[in-house]
Amino acid sequence: MKQKDSFADQIWMFFASVKLTVYTLVLLALTSIIGTVLLQNGSPEAYIRLYGPGLYNMIQVLHLDRMYQAWWFLLLMVVLCVNIVVCSIDRLSATWKIIFPKNISVNPRRFENVKNRQQFECHLPMDRVAQQAKQVLAARAAGKVIEKTGETGLFVYAEKGRWSRLGVYVVHASVLMLLAGALIGSALGFKANLRLDEGQTADTVFNAYTRLPIKLPFTVRCNDFQVKFYDTGAPDEFKSSLTILENNQESFTEDILVNHPLRYKGINIFQASYGATTPDEAVFEITDNKTGTVETHTIKNAGAVPLPSGAGSFIFEGFLPHYNFNGHNLGEAFIGRLDTTNGNNVQIVLPTRFPTFDKMRKGRFTVEVKSWDHAYYTGLQVTKDPGVPFVYTGFLLMIIGCWVTFFVSHQSVCIGLEQAGSGNTRVWVAGRANRNAQSTNLTVKKLVKELKDVSGK
């Protein structure tokens, strides 16, 4: 009666199954397609607008909005890693015996019916031909040349490339490195955003997905921000001058541009965006439509000046980089408030692209923005991915493993010498390989040619 496998054996056989590899790869491929088609890291409003409330709830339950960080997707990757490791260990012992045998046995019969076999006769005696055959074979084989005497004659054998069978394990190791890099990056890395005004410092960024704060091991200061524009008004180039501070001491300063990030202590700081921020001061022109009086004032942010004729005060309250009016974006706008002595207080908006915009209000006082110092904030994307070295190592191993697997083979060549009539020697050359038979065929042809040349055939 066959003994039933233990629970540990059943677990091992489960993870050693090639079917598990296929199923896991298919699931990863299908879910990756979903992650490509489905909007990732969007707002709840965007999902409801695109898919409706019902599908949005399902997306939330299955974490399809952040699928590549979802626990079940990471679990699939872990299962694939374990599967690859167990399959490799399960088959490595047999492969190891082939690569590193205790004794290399020569069986000439294995070469009798191979396709890569050629034969000729020469007039030299067998012992001399055997000596030449060993010399020729030693020059082409990486391993030891073995001579064996058989019932029908003498055999000279050599081989090379046994180690090439390890190529598939190098490919397995590369896949494990790639998966490990993805898992480490997902578990220990982050992608965050940081907004800095000129002169502002920060040591905390906010996760791009969860909005939770993340403490940096250093402090970042934006010294200056510069932007150049095309004639059309579109941005040509924008860059930030950043200083890294540690223990309240400046470490170094570096300019960053789009695709030219700052990298320090495993953290990358990219130039992602920019925008206008509230200027320190601006010049306003205030007109008293009742008396015709016009006054010009330079007002600091949150500052106030008296209105003409002592009718009250005007307060500079703030700034909007984008002002929407009746569904139209009017661009940058200043916010102010008119506090009059008669108690008729009103907040006004002053779009810079439309200087006479305040006249539509038809009040006693009209305010217009004449000039201001343009001030910008820099939008930075801060990332950390400790899995990157594993990914690079995985790609390197993948290239090496594929090269070994597809272009290097385990070749064995046997030269047989048999006594022919009239003192001649019959010579046959045959080769075998676990792959790339064409290369073995060329090797056999070259050996035959060299043997004919040295034997005077």
Side-chain angles (χ1 to χ4, degrees):
M1 181 180 231
K2 185 178 179 181
Q3 185 178 2
K4 188 175 180 181
D5 294 328
S6 66
F7 179 72
D9 291 335
Q10 293 178 16
I11 295 294
W12 182 269
M13 292 170 60
F14 172 78
F15 282 106
S17 171
V18 177
K19 289 184 178 180
L20 178 62
T21 309
V22 175
Y23 293 151
T24 307
L25 288 174
V26 169
L27 286 174
L28 284 171
L30 292 176
T31 51
S32 297
I33 292 173
I34 295 173
T36 303
V37 174
L38 193 69
L39 175 67
Q40 296 291 297
N41 305 309
S43 63
E45 295 78 12
Y47 286 106
I48 293 173
R49 184 179 69 256
L50 290 172
Y51 310 112
L55 283 177
Y56 171 64
N57 292 332
M58 186 181 72
I59 290 171
Q60 286 291 98
V61 171
L62 298 178
H63 303 288
L64 296 179
D65 55 336
R66 290 188 294 137
M67 199 195 73
Y68 300 109
Q69 288 81 38
W71 65 268
W72 54 267
F73 188 83
L74 299 179
L75 180 62
L76 282 175
M77 296 177 66
V78 171
V79 168
L80 182 60
C81 289
V82 175
N83 178 235
I84 292 173
V85 171
V86 172
C87 284
S88 300
I89 294 174
D90 194 55
R91 293 159 177 77
L92 182 60
S93 59
T95 306
W96 196 262
K97 292 178 181 178
I98 295 175
I99 298 174
F100 303 104
K102 294 181 179 179
N103 296 302
I104 299 177
S105 60
V106 181
N107 184 7
R109 291 185 178 181
R110 296 175 61 243
F111 297 88
E112 289 180 355
N113 298 318
V114 297
K115 294 181 180 180
N116 298 318
R117 179 183 171 112
Q118 295 190 24
Q119 182 175 302
F120 67 94
E121 288 189 10
C122 67
H123 303 293
L124 297 178
M126 184 184 299
D127 57 347
R128 186 173 175 184
V129 177
Q131 183 179 1
Q132 294 173 345
K134 286 191 289 184
Q135 293 176 354
V136 169
L137 202 54
R140 288 201 168 271
K144 180 182 177 182
V145 177
I146 300 174
E147 183 178 345
K148 180 180 179 180
T149 302
E151 297 177 358
T152 58
L154 189 65
F155 304 96
V156 181
Y157 173 86
E159 61 180 30
K160 66 177 181 178
R162 278 182 177 266
W163 60 271
S164 66
R165 297 176 184 272
L166 290 174
V168 65
Y169 296 96
V170 177
V171 174
H172 287 181
S174 71
V175 175
L176 288 174
M177 281 292 180
L178 292 172
L179 293 175
L183 289 170
I184 292 171
S186 179
L188 303 178
F190 63 79
K191 181 179 180 181
N193 298 319
L194 176 62
R195 169 179 164 169
L196 286 177
D197 295 339
E198 292 177 297
Q200 186 179 7
T201 62
D203 62 358
T204 302
V205 295
F206 295 90
N207 191 290
Y209 310 127
T210 63
R211 301 303 302 162
L212 294 175
I214 301 172
K215 187 82 169 178
L216 297 178
F218 51 81
T219 301
V220 185
R221 183 180 69 208
C222 178
N223 304 311
D224 183 44
F225 179 84
Q226 298 179 7
V227 59
K228 297 179 182 178
F229 296 93
Y230 292 108
D231 295 337
T232 59
D236 175 20
E237 177 187 86
F238 49 97
K239 65 179 180 179
S240 301
S241 174
L242 302 181
T243 294
I244 302 299
L245 301 98
E246 296 181 284
N247 300 321
N248 295 322
Q249 299 293 323
E250 293 187 4
S251 180
F252 64 93
T253 299
E254 186 174 325
D255 291 343
I256 66 168
L257 299 88
V258 176
N259 298 325
H260 292 82
L262 183 155
R263 306 182 190 276
Y264 186 59
K265 289 189 173 181
I267 294 176
N268 310 304
I269 303 178
F270 295 87
Q271 180 68 68
S273 62
Y274 74 95
T277 187
T278 305
D280 292 333
E281 62 182 23
V283 178
F284 295 88
E285 183 181 87
I286 303 174
T287 302
D288 186 344
N289 298 314
K290 183 177 180 180
T291 64
T293 304
V294 178
E295 296 181 358
T296 302
H297 298 276
T298 300
I299 311 175
K300 291 187 176 296
N301 184 24
V305 295
L307 293 172
S309 306
S313 60
F314 170 74
I315 303 170
F316 173 16
E317 289 192 325
F319 176 84
L320 293 175
H322 303 284
Y323 172 60
N324 291 316
F325 179 74
N326 291 336
H328 299 280
N329 182 12
L330 302 187
E332 298 175 351
F334 286 81
I335 306 298
R337 190 174 79 248
L338 291 169
D339 288 348
T340 58
T341 54
N342 60 9
N344 187 18
N345 303 332
V346 61
Q347 188 179 62
I348 59 175
V349 181
L350 307 171
T352 59
R353 288 164 52 188
F354 304 94
T356 61
F357 184 83
D358 193 42
K359 290 183 179 181
M360 294 190 301
R361 190 170 46 83
K362 296 181 180 180
R364 175 181 172 180
F365 297 98
T366 302
V367 184
E368 180 182 337
V369 182
K370 302 303 291 183
S371 64
W372 69 98
D373 292 330
H374 291 274
Y376 296 96
Y377 69 83
T378 179
L380 305 175
Q381 185 179 91
V382 184
T383 65
K384 179 183 178 181
D385 190 349
V388 168
F390 292 86
V391 174
Y392 286 159
T393 304
F395 277 124
L396 180 61
L397 290 176
M398 180 70 74
I399 294 171
I400 296 173
C402 289
W403 177 77
V404 172
T405 301
F406 294 108
F407 297 101
V408 182
S409 60
H410 174 201
Q411 294 183 356
S412 55
V413 179
C414 185
I415 300 176
L417 307 176
E418 301 173 0
Q419 193 68 48
S422 303
N424 294 342
T425 302
R426 184 180 299 110
V427 182
W428 57 263
V429 182
R432 294 173 60 92
N434 62 331
R435 67 176 71 90
N436 200 0
Q438 184 61 32
S439 175
T440 307
N441 187 34
L442 292 174
T443 300
V444 170
K445 288 181 179 180
K446 290 178 180 178
L447 287 172
V448 170
K449 183 178 182 304
E450 291 181 19
L451 285 172
K452 286 181 177 181
D453 289 342
V454 298
S455 62
K457 174 64 179 176

